[in-house]
Amino acid sequence: MLWTANQFIRKFSTATVYYQNKLKLALIGQSLFGQEVYSQLRKEGHKVVGVFTVPDKDGKADPLAVAAEKDGTPVFKFPRWRVKGKPIPDVVDAYKSVGAELNVLPFCSQFIPMNVIDHPKHGSIIYHPSILPAHRGASAINWTLIHGDKKAGFSIFWADDGLDTGPILLQRECPVEPNDTVDTLYNRFLFPEGIKGMVEAVNLIADGKAPRVPQSEEGASYEGIQKKDNCKVSFNQPAEAIHNWIRGHDKVPGAWTVIDGQVVTLYGSSLLSGSVPTGQPLDIEGASKPGLITSNGLVLFGTDGKALVVRNLQFEDGKMISAAKYFSAGESVSVELTEEEKKTAQQIRAIWKGILSNVPEVEESTDFFKSGAASMDVVRLVEEIKQKCDGLQLQNEDVYMATKFEDFIQMIVRKLRGEDKEEELIVDHVIKNINNMTLKMPHQCFINGRFEDAENGKTYDTVNPTDGSVICKVSYASVGDVDKAVAAAKDAFEAGPWGKMNARDRGRLLYKLADLMEEHQEELATIEAIDSGAVYTLALKTHVGMSVQTFRYFAGWCDKIQGTTIPINQARPNHNLTFTKKEPLGVCAIVIPWNYPLMMLAWKSAACLAAGNTLVLKPAQVTPLTALKFAELTVKAGIPKGVINIIPGSGGLVGQRMSDHPDIRKLGFTGSTPIGKHIMKSCALSNLKKVSLELGGKSPLIIFQDCDLDKAVRMGMGSVFFNKGENCIAAGRLFVEESIHDEFLRRVLEEVKKMKIGDPLDRSTDHGPQNHRAHMEKLLEYCEIGKKEGATLVYGGQQVQRPGYFMEPTVFTDVEDHMYLAKEESFGPIMVISKFKDGDVDGVLKRANDTEFGLASGVFTRDINKAMYVSERLEAGTVFINTYNKTDVASPFGGFKQSGFGKDLGEEALHEYLRTKAVTVEY
């Protein structure tokens, strides 16, 4: 019975359905999840008559309360609903006063009395993050993992007087991946699908179609909240059970064991596939076999002989380290010198002595620079050694990498033996003959200077949106791959040549990389066209062209990053000097979107690298190919291994691990606002990473009657239809002054009808396919909502009848402020036009700013005073006057409000990847 109902609801929810009836709702709960459910229910047209949430904590309101208060919805913050098991009359009366027809409990930590639960006409519905009747009670997601369930999911049920025992209204499920954590399950499925499920449940109730399927007691279970004392790991069980116990307790409260007499909490478990790596044994209390500290982490063994790897360890004082670093790093293994090599070492010692004349004797521990050597001495040292060791390839940089004599000799010997040579890059190219050229496309993860399959061997298809065909299979990275990439980036920053490189040499490498990108621009543009649907000519000029410009711009900044000197009060009779230094942060993570795959990579990574950081980058899952081709070019440019790592895969797995990783110090993200909020939360909870976010937009473009109308039409078209509308700063809403509205619309329609829709590789094509199928379907739904709400569709609104994901350029007018089209971003080729009264400058400004987004904006007028007045009052990070889409590598780019914070491009972008250190000297 329950399965049948679920199947019905699944089928019911996959079609585009518009519910007719609306309800008065009371939302009882808290959290970001509650906030999103609240917002989506309001968008559906339901009236939230009251929000009942928890009191402010440390002066900060719960996200649900913040959203409701902003909307003017009545908000009640009760610390409790009952005292000694009995309802508090004043609280219940306050609740009843709002007149709700249905209680919606998306996430609620309080006990709600039954006379509140049963009061509304339709009762109450509750979200629970398990497939009931399994895992009733708190910590359901944790127990799903602890028990090793193969499926996870959520239930929305009718509240009764039991504990999670009410009839089922709706359920959804998803597979549990072997290395899923609470966070990955929540972010991949339980959060986004749970919001949709709650909205669908309310709509079903409103239309009288909501089932009530009694819960079976077969398979029912109840588990309570775990306490730290109960979370000790038992090693007397198979490896998978140990893994499930650790990942089920990950974050809170944390599974623990005893090592060297102290409690150590284990985080980031994954099952070990393949052979056990070599490592240093580590005795663990209660384990029949010692663990192993390896380069991947702490390997633990189950009773079945299988193993798992733990990435991070936390000690009782709160300090967390990478498990691979448990033992302090020992001295590097020295090579034993032959007799001939010993003679060479003595000759080099004499060269050192000749340069360091002030040193009585050059010993093994003698440091070249601490002994007084300068830059000219480096040149002399290199040239003298080249004379003595004929054919030795020695660079100035090698001296800076090995400043102690014993390290320098080891380096020279390894060079003479040829042990220092980098492995030749091996690329398993996917080769295709397209666009009158042969494309050679990498398709594997790029980690530590090598292309390799994902740790778990998984792949996925990347699709050509022009016809829906599969281009190739791409590695689907795992958490283990992210950890390897971060370890490589950390080592490259701390111990590799990149971290010690002269800033000017770093710039030289970035210039070389830009040159290689330009050399391969046709290939990159073609890959961008087939993988993202970008029109080839646009990809050549913008996607690739601006990427090349970006790397050249930031290459020039490498040796111009400066601190300042600061006058301070002197500590008499002494003198003081205070100065600041700008330092790189370390390992940075970058997560980029699918609309400009290569350009977004360049905007973020060029500044990151110029500042001296190393990076791990996740391209969008649907557009990974130009990022992987870029990785190949970085090797040709001579970028040291580990500096750049490219990890294709899902945001819920790869992106989440980046957000959580303790060794990442900064995360830059471009994407949707809800995901940006999750990333910010994860970065805060993990290690307070620095974050920059470029998020959603609904950019207003105001067109006054005194504008150059021909230019306004041309630029207005570009503001919407540029790059198929898949443009962060696209004009999401055009405000046209009433007296020119009809003429503006007439001219726009003339131009739209001339647009050629077709193959993006055809040089005459104006408008290519949308990036992927799901996005095109979302755009079609967007248009349907617009028509249903009463906006006038004057052109387009349909899928083009041809293979691939082509959407007609679309124009809506008569869009009123309350409509969905006026508030929500389409991210597609949909022009949304609203009129405003002649001369009503302040009125249209108020309407333009009535959005939570603030990425970009624009104004067209010949009146410069009016233009400046409007630009000063538009709440957006970028304002265009009598132009649009005019970005430049030297101009900072970023938004206000819920469009994010932080800047790409320009000098300001560098500061996103630097930290300031103040130094005070007394003399």
Side-chain angles (χ1 to χ4, degrees), residues 576-595:
N576 297 103
L577 169 66
T578 295
F579 61 92
T580 61
K581 297 173 63 181
K582 296 288 186 180
E583 299 180 340
L585 301 172
V587 181
C588 297
I590 292 173
V591 181
I592 57 174
W594 44 257
N595 57 327

Side-chain angles (χ1 to χ4, degrees), residues 782-799:
Y782 187 90
C783 292
E784 290 299 313
I785 294 172
K787 290 190 291 185
K788 177 179 176 291
E789 288 191 333
T792 302
L793 175 64
V794 292
Y795 191 85
Q798 300 293 322
Q799 181 178 356

Side-chain angles (χ1 to χ4, degrees), residues 518-718:
E518 188 170 54
E519 184 181 323
H520 289 262
Q521 61 183 336
E522 288 87 359
E523 185 179 16
L524 288 166
T526 303
I527 296 171
E528 197 93 329
I530 65 171
D531 203 26
S532 76
V535 172
Y536 175 75
T537 51
L538 177 67
L540 198 60
K541 179 183 182 296
T542 301
H543 291 232
V544 180
M546 194 172 187
S547 299
V548 173
Q549 292 175 28
T550 303
F551 270 98
R552 285 190 176 137
Y553 174 80
F554 283 108
W557 266 109
C558 288
D559 61 353
K560 299 171 187 67
I561 299 170
Q562 301 177 17
T564 58
T565 56
I566 304 169
I568 64 169
N569 287 338
Q570 305 291 347
R572 296 177 181 175
N574 298 314
H575 297 277
N576 297 103
L577 169 66
T578 295
F579 61 92
T580 61
K581 297 173 63 181
K582 296 288 186 180
E583 299 180 340
L585 301 172
V587 181
C588 297
I590 292 173
V591 181
I592 57 174
W594 44 257
N595 57 327
Y596 294 105
L598 185 64
M599 194 171 79
M600 292 297 100
L601 175 153
W603 280 22
K604 290 188 177 347
S605 62
C608 174
L609 295 168
N613 302 284
T614 57
L615 67 88
V616 180
L617 182 141
K618 191 196 89 64
Q621 186 172 342
V622 291
T623 53
L625 296 181
T626 42
L628 294 172
K629 186 66 182 180
F630 167 82
E632 181 183 356
L633 297 181
T634 67
V635 177
K636 292 183 178 180
I639 305 291
K641 67 179 184 179
V643 173
I644 297 170
N645 304 271
I646 310 291
I647 310 295
S650 73
L653 198 65
V654 174
Q656 184 62 49
R657 178 56 185 155
M658 288 177 171
S659 301
D660 292 337
H661 204 293
D663 289 336
I664 291 174
R665 293 298 168 191
K666 158 72 195 280
L667 192 148
F669 171 75
T670 295
S672 73
T673 298
I675 299 300
K677 290 178 179 179
H678 284 299
I679 285 174
M680 192 171 176
K681 180 180 178 182
S682 296
C683 288
L685 290 175
S686 55
N687 62 342
L688 278 178
K689 292 176 183 64
K690 189 175 183 179
V691 179
S692 57
L693 303 171
E694 195 250 282
L695 307 176
K698 186 67 175 174
S699 301
L701 175 57
I702 304 172
I703 300 174
F704 289 100
Q705 57 84 21
D706 61 354
C707 69
D708 178 339
L709 193 55
D710 287 338
K711 186 177 184 181
V713 169
R714 186 174 71 254
M715 291 287 185
M717 292 275 294

Side-chain angles (χ1 to χ4, degrees), residues 443-456:
H443 62 97
Q444 299 164 292
C445 300
F446 182 71
I447 301 173
N448 204 23
R450 296 176 54 202
F451 286 104
E452 56 187 57
D453 290 335
E455 188 178 68
N456 54 20

Side-chain angles (χ1 to χ4, degrees), residues 498-518:
W498 187 255
K500 302 173 184 178
M501 189 177 293
N502 180 289
R504 200 161 294 163
D505 291 336
R506 189 164 67 241
R508 179 177 50 81
L509 291 180
L510 294 185
Y511 276 123
K512 188 174 180 181
L513 177 56
D515 291 343
L516 281 166
M517 292 170 69
E518 188 170 54

Side-chain angles (χ1 to χ4, degrees), residues 261-315:
Q262 64 174 320
V263 172
V264 178
T265 305
L266 313 177
Y267 294 108
S269 172
S270 59
L271 291 169
L272 182 65
S273 57
S275 58
V276 176
T278 57
Q280 190 170 348
L282 179 67
D283 289 330
I284 298 171
E285 184 176 284
S288 59
K289 184 177 180 179
L292 284 176
I293 296 294
T294 73
S295 59
N296 295 329
L298 170 60
V299 176
L300 301 171
F301 299 91
T303 54
D304 56 355
K306 295 182 179 179
L308 58 138
V309 183
V310 171
R311 293 186 300 275
N312 299 313
L313 306 175
Q314 188 174 38
F315 299 98

Side-chain angles (χ1 to χ4, degrees), residues 146-416:
I146 292 169
H147 282 273
D149 295 355
K150 301 303 179 187
K151 291 181 179 178
F154 63 85
S155 306
I156 297 171
F157 66 95
W158 300 92
D160 64 4
D161 59 358
L163 185 61
D164 305 331
T165 56
I168 301 295
L169 190 161
L170 178 151
Q171 287 185 320
R172 297 283 185 274
E173 63 183 37
C174 70
V176 177
E177 298 294 335
N179 293 319
D180 260 334
T181 63
V182 171
D183 282 344
T184 60
L185 269 179
Y186 186 72
N187 290 311
R188 183 179 81 241
F189 185 81
L190 298 174
F191 181 90
E193 295 303 318
I195 294 165
K196 296 176 187 175
M198 288 298 283
V199 173
E200 185 175 352
V202 172
N203 286 333
L204 288 169
I205 295 168
D207 281 2
K209 299 176 181 178
R212 290 176 179 262
V213 183
Q215 286 193 44
S216 168
E217 287 305 306
E218 183 179 346
S221 62
Y222 171 81
E223 296 97 1
I225 298 175
Q226 280 285 80
K227 295 182 178 179
K228 188 75 173 182
D229 292 348
N230 301 327
C231 296
K232 187 175 182 180
V233 178
S234 169
F235 293 98
N236 189 30
Q237 53 186 333
E240 186 173 357
I242 299 172
H243 164 63
N244 289 337
W245 183 261
I246 295 171
R247 67 173 174 155
H249 290 93
D250 209 309
K251 291 291 189 292
V252 179
W256 57 275
T257 188
V258 176
I259 302 175
D260 285 338
Q262 64 174 320
V263 172
V264 178
T265 305
L266 313 177
Y267 294 108
S269 172
S270 59
L271 291 169
L272 182 65
S273 57
S275 58
V276 176
T278 57
Q280 190 170 348
L282 179 67
D283 289 330
I284 298 171
E285 184 176 284
S288 59
K289 184 177 180 179
L292 284 176
I293 296 294
T294 73
S295 59
N296 295 329
L298 170 60
V299 176
L300 301 171
F301 299 91
T303 54
D304 56 355
K306 295 182 179 179
L308 58 138
V309 183
V310 171
R311 293 186 300 275
N312 299 313
L313 306 175
Q314 188 174 38
F315 299 98
E316 290 177 276
D317 62 1
K319 180 183 178 183
M320 182 179 285
I321 64 166
S322 168
K325 305 294 184 184
Y326 182 82
F327 296 113
S328 58
E331 294 293 324
S332 59
V333 179
S334 299
V335 297
E336 187 173 343
L337 274 58
T338 65
E339 289 302 316
E340 191 63 31
E341 289 166 346
K342 288 178 181 177
K343 290 179 183 177
T344 300
Q346 286 303 110
Q347 291 175 331
I348 294 173
R349 191 187 298 269
I351 294 172
W352 274 52
K353 183 69 179 70
I355 296 172
L356 305 175
S357 56
N358 60 320
V359 176
E361 192 66 41
V362 175
E363 300 176 349
E364 301 301 298
S365 60
T366 300
D367 186 286
F368 191 67
F369 294 104
K370 289 181 180 178
S371 300
S375 58
M376 280 304 299
D377 298 317
V378 173
V379 177
R380 176 182 167 184
L381 176 63
V382 168
E383 294 305 316
E384 284 199 49
I385 291 176
K386 282 182 179 179
Q387 281 185 331
K388 294 287 184 184
C389 306
D390 187 38
L392 179 66
Q393 296 298 312
L394 189 65
Q395 306 294 329
N396 293 358
E397 205 60 48
D398 294 322
V399 182
Y400 293 101
M401 290 293 297
T403 61
K404 286 170 60 177
F405 182 75
E406 59 181 339
D407 296 335
F408 188 80
I409 292 297
Q410 290 286 315
M411 180 265 296
I412 293 292
V413 169
R414 287 191 169 95
K415 281 182 175 292
L416 289 170

